[in-house]
Amino acid sequence: MDTRLEPRSTGTGMIIGFLSPTVILLLFMVAYPIFSLAYYSFHDFSALQPDKGMNWIGLDNYIYLLSDTGIWKRFVFTGKFVFLCVTMQMILGVFVGYQLQKTFRGRDVLFTALMLPMMLSPVVAGFLWRYMLNSEWGVVNYIVTLFGFGKIDWLGQAGPALWAAAVVDTWMWTPFIVLLATAAFRGIPETIYEAAEVDGASAAYVFFRVTLPMSAPVLFIALILRLIDSFKQYDLFVALTGGGPGSSTETVSFAVAKTAFSYFYTGEASALAVILLCIIMGLAMILVRHLSQMGARH
Amino acid sequence: MPQSRNQALALLSRWTLLLMLVLYTIYNLGPILWLMISSLKSRADLFAMPPKLVFSPDFSGYQSVFGVGAARDSASSVGVFDSLVTSVIVSTVGTAVAVFLGTLAGYVCSRFDFRGKGDFMFFVLSTRMLPPVAVLVFYHMMFARLGLADTRIGLVLIAVFINVGLATWIMKGFFDGVPKEVEQIAFVNGYSRNYAFRRLVLPMVKGGIAATAGFCFIFAWNEFAFASILTTTQAKTLPVKISTASGATGIEWTQICAAGVVLILPVLVFFYLIRRHLLMGMTFGVLGRR
C-alpha cells in the first residue's frame, strides 16, 4: 500500500499556476506604472499633447517642484493634517479600545456598531460632514449655538477647515485603532493583571505600565498604517472641501491629481508622485520590518 | 475617612469614563443616524433651522436613485440609477475575480515554501499602501490607449487590482487555520494535491471565502479615486455620481443623502455577515497568530 505523506508531484506546477495570474496582474498594474512614472518624471511631457512627445529634461521637474513654495504649502498642510488626525485617533482609539476590553452587557453589539464609520465610502463621509458642517443650516453649528457660542464658518476658512478635515478623518478611522487596540489588549494574559492587583497597583499604573507597553507592537503597526493612509488622503478632501478655501486644504495627493488631470502637466505630476511614493514606501518599510520582527517572535 | 473618599473617587472616575464613552458613541454613530434621517426630508426641511426632528417623510431622493417617479435624474448624462447599476456590476464582478485569484495565491502561500515567497507577500501587500494618484497618472493614458477609459470593464480591472492583495493575505490566514493533515489523508489515499485542495480544503474555508468577499466588496463599492478619474460619462459609479451631484440649484442634497444611505446599506449587510471575521481580516493575520 502506498503510504506516502507527500503527493507525487513537488507542487512546482501548482505554485506557478496558482500565483501567475496575480503576479502578472500586479506587475502590469503596479511595477509597469511605477517605472513609467519614474520615466515621465524626467521629461517635459503632457498627456494632453502626446504628439509633442517626451523631451528629456533631467531633474528639472524635481528642481522646479522643490523650489516652488506652492508645493511646500501642500506638504505642510498634509503634515499638519496627518499629525492632528493620527494623534487624535491614537488617543481616542486607545481610550475606547481600553473601555471595550472590559466585560459589560451589550459590549459586542456596541463594538460592532462602533466599527461602522470605517466601512463607509470617504466620499459619503465627506459630503455627510459637509452637510452637517454648513455654517448657516448645519446641525454642528446648531449644537455649537446651543452651548452659547457663535456660528463657525467651518469649511470657509483655512484654519477651521483643517480641524474639520481632521475631525472627519478621526471620525472615520478611530474605529480602526479601536479594533487593533482591543485585540491587542485582549491578548494580554489575565495572570499579569492578577499579579498587579495583588501588588495593589492603581488602575492608571496598570494601564501605563502593563497594558500600554505590552500592546505597543500592535499599536505601533496601527500607527504606521494610519500614517500611511492619512498621508495619501485624497477622497475625503474632494468631497469635504474640494481643496478650498482657495487651495488651503490641498494634500500632496490632491496636488498630484490636480497637476495631472486639471493642468495636464504630466511630467511634473509624475515627479511629485515619485516623491509621494518614496515617503510612503519609507513608512511601509518601517512597517514591514516591524511586522517581520513580530512574526519572528511568534 | 480615606476609605470612603477612595471609593467616591473610584465611582467618580468610573462615571467620567462612562460619560466619555457615551460622548464618543454619539460622535461615532450620530452622523450616520443624521444621514438616515436627512435622507427622508424634503428639500425645505433639510435646511430648516433649528433642524427638524419631526417631519413628514419625503421619498424624492430615493425615487431619483432608483429611477422611479418624476424625480428621475435627466439633466446629467448618466442618471443616478445607471450609476447604481454600474456600482453593483463592477463591485460584484471585481470581488468575484479578486477572491478567486486571492484564494489560489493564498493557498500556495500557506502550503508551500518557495524562493521569493516573502518578497511576493510583501509586494502583494504593498499594493494597499500605494497612493492611487501615483499610478493614476499612468492608468489615465493606458486606459485611453486600450479603450478601457470610461468602461465598466476597466473599473472591474481596478476593483480586482485593489483587492487581490488583501484577498491573498486574508485567505492565507484562513488556509493556515486548516491542518496539514487534511491533505496528508488525501495523499495517503493516493489522491493528488489538486484534488485535496478542491475537494477537502476548499469546503473547509467556505466561511473564510465569504468573509474575504465581504471585505473586497466593501472596498470595491467605496472606491473613488480611480473611478473619478477614469470615468467621464458612461461608467460613473455611485460615489463618483454623488461627488458630481450639483444641479442648477446648487448641491442636490436630497439626492446625496438618499444615495449615501443606498451606499451604506450593502455595507451594513456585508459588515453584519463578516462581523466575526473582522479582527482576522483587518489585521492581516498578525493578531490571529496569538
Side-chain angles (χ1 to χ4, degrees):
Chain A
M1 195 179 143
D2 188 5
T3 55
R4 61 173 80 213
L5 289 176
E6 285 299 311
R8 277 176 217 96
S9 72
T10 53
T12 315
M14 188 181 232
I15 293 172
I16 292 169
F18 277 24
L19 285 186
S20 51
T22 304
V23 171
I24 292 167
L25 178 79
L26 289 181
L27 283 177
F28 183 62
M29 302 289 281
V30 180
Y32 183 26
I34 288 178
F35 281 115
S36 313
L37 196 71
Y39 180 71
Y40 298 154
S41 75
F42 297 117
H43 291 79
D44 177 23
F45 169 58
S46 169
L48 214 52
Q49 300 154 301
D51 316 328
K52 274 178 69 186
M54 304 238 179
N55 304 307
W56 174 268
I57 53 166
L59 289 171
D60 278 10
N61 280 326
Y62 291 94
I63 293 165
Y64 171 77
L65 278 173
L66 295 176
S67 59
D68 177 23
T69 50
I71 290 304
W72 288 108
K73 270 194 205 151
R74 268 80 175 165
F75 272 101
V76 169
F77 174 76
T78 310
K80 280 184 190 166
F81 171 73
V82 169
F83 176 77
L84 267 183
C85 58
V86 174
T87 309
M88 292 198 289
Q89 286 160 30
M90 288 305 290
I91 293 172
L92 257 183
V94 168
F95 165 74
V96 176
Y98 189 64
Q99 300 308 311
L100 285 177
Q101 66 138 9
K102 298 169 184 169
T103 335
F104 56 88
R105 214 176 43 175
R107 181 188 69 180
D108 291 344
V109 176
L110 180 66
F111 182 80
T112 311
L114 289 183
M115 292 299 121
L116 252 178
M118 164 172 86
M119 300 289 167
L120 299 188
S121 165
V123 177
V124 173
F127 271 100
L128 169 59
W129 280 89
R130 184 161 156 186
Y131 167 64
M132 295 196 305
L133 287 169
N134 184 286
S135 59
E136 287 306 310
W137 38 264
V139 66
V140 173
N141 265 352
Y142 174 69
I143 295 169
V144 165
T145 52
L146 278 188
F147 284 97
F149 298 103
K151 285 181 175 176
I152 299 166
D153 188 6
W154 291 102
L155 301 174
Q157 291 171 283
L162 167 66
W163 276 95
V167 165
V168 178
D169 196 77
T170 302
W171 174 73
M172 272 201 87
W173 291 108
T174 299
F176 180 70
I177 310 292
V178 172
L179 180 70
L180 270 83
T182 310
F185 295 160
R186 284 186 196 168
I188 298 171
E190 201 62 42
T191 46
I192 295 179
Y193 287 118
E194 282 159 10
E197 204 173 325
V198 170
D199 291 346
S202 71
Y205 184 89
V206 172
F207 177 73
F208 286 107
R209 291 303 172 89
V210 178
T211 311
L212 272 189
M214 288 204 68
S215 53
V218 176
L219 294 180
F220 185 76
I221 288 174
L223 175 76
I224 301 279
L225 283 171
R226 285 312 307 143
L227 280 178
I228 292 172
D229 270 358
S230 55
F231 197 86
K232 64 182 194 191
Q233 184 59 274
Y234 167 73
D235 306 17
L236 174 67
F237 288 97
V238 172
L240 187 69
T241 64
S247 61
S248 58
T249 57
E250 287 181 3
T251 57
V252 180
S253 265
F254 203 106
V256 175
K258 207 166 159 184
T259 314
F261 307 113
S262 297
Y263 306 139
F264 287 96
Y265 300 146
T266 311
E268 194 188 317
S270 303
L272 186 56
V274 168
I275 297 172
L276 177 66
L277 210 58
C278 288
I279 295 170
I280 286 180
M281 279 301 139
L283 286 168
M285 242 105 105
I286 298 173
L287 175 72
V288 168
R289 189 168 306 160
H290 207 75
L291 273 174
S292 53
Q293 273 170 9
M294 274 184 76
R297 271 212 305 276
H298 282 282
Chain B
M1 294 278 275
Q3 189 64 31
S4 69
R5 203 175 63 199
N6 277 349
Q7 275 175 352
L9 266 178
L11 205 65
L12 187 71
S13 72
R14 237 182 66 201
W15 282 104
T16 317
L17 289 177
L18 190 68
L19 180 71
M20 282 162 77
L21 192 60
V22 168
L23 283 179
Y24 175 76
T25 307
I26 294 171
Y27 167 54
N28 180 298
L29 292 175
I32 296 169
L33 278 178
W34 195 246
L35 175 70
M36 291 178 170
I37 294 170
S38 303
S39 74
L40 292 168
K41 285 182 175 175
S42 67
R43 222 186 140 69
D45 286 342
L46 269 176
F47 308 122
M49 199 67 180
K52 279 189 183 177
L53 278 175
V54 182
F55 54 90
S56 53
D58 177 292
F59 296 98
S60 62
Y62 288 97
Q63 282 176 345
S64 76
V65 173
F66 289 108
V68 291
R72 166 115 208 204
D73 181 27
S74 56
S76 45
S77 45
V78 176
V80 181
F81 182 67
D82 296 314
S83 296
L84 178 63
V85 174
T86 301
S87 269
V88 170
I89 293 175
V90 168
S91 311
T92 313
V93 179
T95 298
V97 178
V99 172
F100 176 72
L101 294 180
T103 304
L104 297 185
Y107 179 72
V108 168
C109 289
S110 166
R111 285 300 190 266
F112 295 101
D113 268 321
F114 52 90
R115 230 179 49 192
K117 180 168 135 179
D119 295 330
F120 171 78
M121 293 294 284
F122 171 61
F123 177 50
V124 151
L125 184 65
S126 71
T127 57
R128 277 213 75 74
M129 323 240 168
L130 205 67
V133 289
V135 280
L136 260 171
V137 179
F138 174 82
Y139 287 3
H140 190 65
M141 281 180 275
M142 180 181 80
F143 271 44
R145 227 171 11 231
L146 297 176
L148 288 171
D150 208 12
T151 64
R152 288 168 178 171
I153 296 174
L155 289 183
V156 167
L157 188 65
I158 296 291
V160 174
F161 157 65
I162 61 167
N163 276 318
V164 71
L166 184 75
T168 302
W169 273 78
I170 305 181
M171 283 313 298
K172 177 185 180 292
F174 283 111
F175 284 123
D176 284 345
V178 177
K180 293 203 166 162
E181 286 76 18
V182 173
E183 281 113 317
Q184 286 169 353
I185 290 168
F187 303 150
V188 169
N189 288 307
Y191 292 113
S192 68
R193 184 176 276 280
N194 206 325
Y195 181 91
F197 169 67
R198 278 186 295 128
R199 291 300 170 85
L200 297 175
V201 181
L202 219 42
M204 291 178 74
V205 294
K206 261 193 303 198
I209 293 176
T212 309
F215 278 113
C216 292
F217 185 90
I218 289 174
F219 284 116
W221 183 250
N222 288 339
E223 201 288 313
F224 173 75
F226 289 108
S228 74
I229 302 282
L230 298 175
T231 63
T232 44
T233 54
Q234 297 307 310
K236 279 186 184 175
T237 57
L238 200 47
V240 179
K241 184 67 199 171
I242 288 184
S243 77
T244 56
S246 48
T249 48
I251 295 175
E252 299 283 351
W253 287 110
T254 37
Q255 263 189 29
I256 285 182
C257 290
V261 172
V262 171
L263 269 171
I264 288 180
L265 286 181
V267 174
L268 278 179
V269 172
F270 278 102
F271 183 61
Y272 179 76
L273 294 175
I274 63 176
R275 68 193 182 286
R276 276 180 299 138
H277 300 287
L278 262 177
L279 280 179
M280 185 86 186
M282 294 303 288
T283 57
F284 302 112
V286 173
L287 300 163
R289 267 190 238 136
R290 282 174 189 274

